[in-house]
Amino acid sequence: MIEKPEEGEYNEFYQTYIDKVRTKDIIEFLKTQRKSIVRFLNAIPEERYSYKYGEGKWSVKQVLRHMIDTEIVFGYRVHSIAKNKAAELPGMDQNDYMTNSNDSQNTFEMLVEEFNNVRKANISMIENLDPALSKNMGKASGFPISVRAQMYILAGHIEHHKLVLKEKYL
């Protein structure tokens, strides 16, 4: 079993994400979360896909793209640090990622499917890691981070955006 990360294994910025994950079994949480977030996203009415709750804010569709982008980046961090303790990975500027995203040709359903597929791949990768590697430390965005901290951040980030979607968009 992969235990919750301890203080010092991640930048304090991520504390709110880690706090959103109340489990001792992160792999089971990721599996359950995948199913529940897909159900949640599929229940969003089509007329809300382009909705923005304020000037300069992302649309529901863009929030989903952001969730996909971070799922990919955070999954890569898990993999990289597990395999190479000395890994030093760059940060992710979410606004640059959004500027360079064009999902006009993609339906919301296609984006939900993409998220689902990326999460499935991340779960498969995490399940196949030696649990001892979860304590490996690397660097991301200039700060130390453990593999297990990144796993919890991966899950907590989705919980964060689910709450934002519920409170501000729906």
Side-chain angles (χ1 to χ4, degrees):
M1 178 136 354
I2 298 170
E3 296 178 5
K4 202 164 193 168
E6 298 175 3
E7 201 172 301
E9 291 185 42
Y10 53 90
N11 181 326
E12 64 187 33
F13 170 82
Y14 293 111
Q15 188 65 56
T16 57
Y17 294 157
I18 290 171
D19 289 345
K20 290 185 184 324
V21 183
R22 294 186 173 99
T23 186
K24 291 186 178 190
D25 189 343
I26 188 62
I27 295 172
E28 192 55 40
F29 185 90
L30 291 167
K31 289 177 179 179
T32 302
Q33 185 186 50
R34 179 187 66 80
K35 293 174 187 171
S36 70
I37 195 69
V38 167
R39 276 192 309 273
F40 171 77
L41 293 168
N42 282 328
I44 295 174
E46 186 175 350
E47 62 270 11
R48 300 306 279 182
Y49 296 167
S50 298
Y51 174 75
K52 297 178 181 184
Y53 70 88
E55 174 113 11
K57 298 298 180 183
W58 293 336
S59 68
V60 170
K61 193 173 178 183
Q62 288 173 310
V63 171
L64 178 51
R65 167 51 61 203
H66 168 71
M67 291 165 62
I68 295 165
D69 287 344
T70 54
E71 186 77 15
I72 292 166
V73 170
F74 291 172
Y76 177 73
R77 288 177 180 178
V78 167
H79 183 264
S80 294
I81 296 167
K83 301 292 181 157
N84 175 11
K85 291 191 266 189
E88 188 159 342
L89 304 168
M92 174 193 168
D93 184 323
Q94 63 187 14
N95 294 315
D96 282 349
Y97 273 61
M98 195 56 63
T99 298
N100 292 308
S101 294
N102 178 5
D103 284 309
S104 60
Q105 74 282 6
N106 297 325
T107 65
F108 192 78
E109 293 76 15
M110 291 166 78
L111 295 175
V112 172
E113 182 179 2
E114 183 179 354
F115 174 82
N116 190 37
N117 290 336
V118 173
R119 172 54 67 91
K120 279 183 185 178
N122 280 338
I123 291 168
S124 180
M125 179 261 300
I126 290 168
E127 283 182 311
N128 288 302
L129 287 176
D130 179 343
L133 298 176
S134 71
K135 293 184 181 181
N136 279 5
M137 294 289 297
K139 268 190 165 180
S141 301
F143 295 96
I145 190 159
S146 70
V147 171
R148 67 186 180 179
Q150 190 63 73
M151 289 177 192
Y152 275 79
I153 293 165
L154 178 82
H157 181 260
I158 296 304
E159 292 299 303
H160 165 75
H161 283 292
K162 182 178 180 182
L163 186 63
V164 169
L165 286 167
K166 281 181 179 179
E167 291 179 352
K168 301 204 181 241
Y169 289 86
L170 305 178

